[in-house]
Amino acid sequence: MNSATPATTESAAPILRLQNVDKLFGDFVAVERVNLDIREGEFFTIVGPSGSGKTTLIRMLVGMDKPSDGNILLRGTRINDVPANKRPTCMVFQSLALFPHKTVGQNIEFPLKIRGVPPAERRGRCERLLQQLHLPQDYYGKAVGKCSGGEQQRVALARALAFDPEILFFDEPLSAIDYRLRKALEKELKDIHRETGKTFVYITHSLEEAMVMSDRIAIMRGGRVVQVGTPDEIYNRPRNRFVSEFMGEVNVLEVARDGDRLRDGASGALLQGPAMPEGFTKGFLVIRPEAFRFLNGTADATPNRLEGRLYNEYSLGSRMQYQVHVGGGVFLVEKLREQRYQGQLDDSVTIGWDPAEAMLFEE
Ligand code: ADP
Ligand code: MG
């Protein structure tokens, strides 16, 4: 699918550049040494667990807060001290912050009104935005509180687009929305990004959400950026155990080097890993649930095998997940439904994986 991704030119100067940005609250370091380049027109997502510094970072990017140290550059110009209302950017908040008793039209036109745009021009702009966001024209006079969750999301977006900002910032706008609508809105946001061609900077605690929408993703932990890359790069080459675990359910083995192999600390099994980094002594072997195969009764000769007991089975729709107990450890195995395990709970099972399918990290 990578070929379907709109090209973001690698060489273009970034629209937004962060250089060694720090933010301290008293002695507490909320954001530390953040360096990022955000390219014109890309959908850039900052993802991290709660408390990792995402909101603190985006507040500095929109001008609601100033860095304690470092620089924020907009097309090469330092904007650390430029207030939010003087920047060509706009923020869409978690709550959407719509005026519930005002009409859709009044909500969308609000930023134009405070900028002194005449009523007729406001109305024309609003009608174009309703069309662009696939909202019926007769919603102009509808109370926004009577719109559905998805429609309110689009009204908030229309309002954010009203004064034609260069960059749109989003701070977890979908986190309070139920699963099915959220899944639909994730795609809708990506479509709107494509239609408007604007730079989107999006915050979420869900890497799964980030994967759906983003051209590139920055992963934060404890105020620092730990990895930046395309969804493919993050998925295929997570930099450390934290990133690999953040991506979803994975199996983590604590291993130590034993000659040219790895010894699993829990089971004592000798395993063959992927290529070891220079000087590797101990670390973590991470295996995705779908990398496992059930080896019972097969001629599969993979060198990595663990004997266990099938404890439980869960249906995930098109896939099946299994919990396999090996010694004191619990492993998750995932198979497509048509390749599901043919047997019963409490069966003795052997699970195996190809050495190259696991990921080895020192930290
Ligand atoms: P996130 O948005 O990733 O959940 P935040 O940026 O809101 O994280 O917060 C990062 C850390 O900074 C948290 O530990 C939070 O308690 C702290 N923090 C945020 N704002 C303030 C503030 N105004 N004063 C003191 N600490 C703050
Ligand atoms: Mg936050």
Side-chain angles (χ1 to χ4, degrees), residues 291-329:
F292 281 121
R293 301 191 292 272
F294 287 104
L295 305 182
N296 303 39
T298 69
D300 199 315
T302 179
N304 288 331
R305 13 192 0 118
L306 295 168
E307 314 280 334
R309 178 172 72 94
L310 186 69
Y311 175 74
N312 220 339
E313 177 187 68
Y314 317 96
S315 172
L316 306 179
S318 60
R319 293 162 298 130
M320 301 299 295
Q321 198 179 65
Y322 302 91
Q323 199 185 123
V324 176
H325 288 188
V326 177

Side-chain angles (χ1 to χ4, degrees), residues 49-51 53-56 58 94 171-172 203:
S50 175
K54 305 182 298 294
T55 295
T56 305
I58 209 169
Q94 179 163 3
D171 191 354
E172 309 218 22
I203 282 183

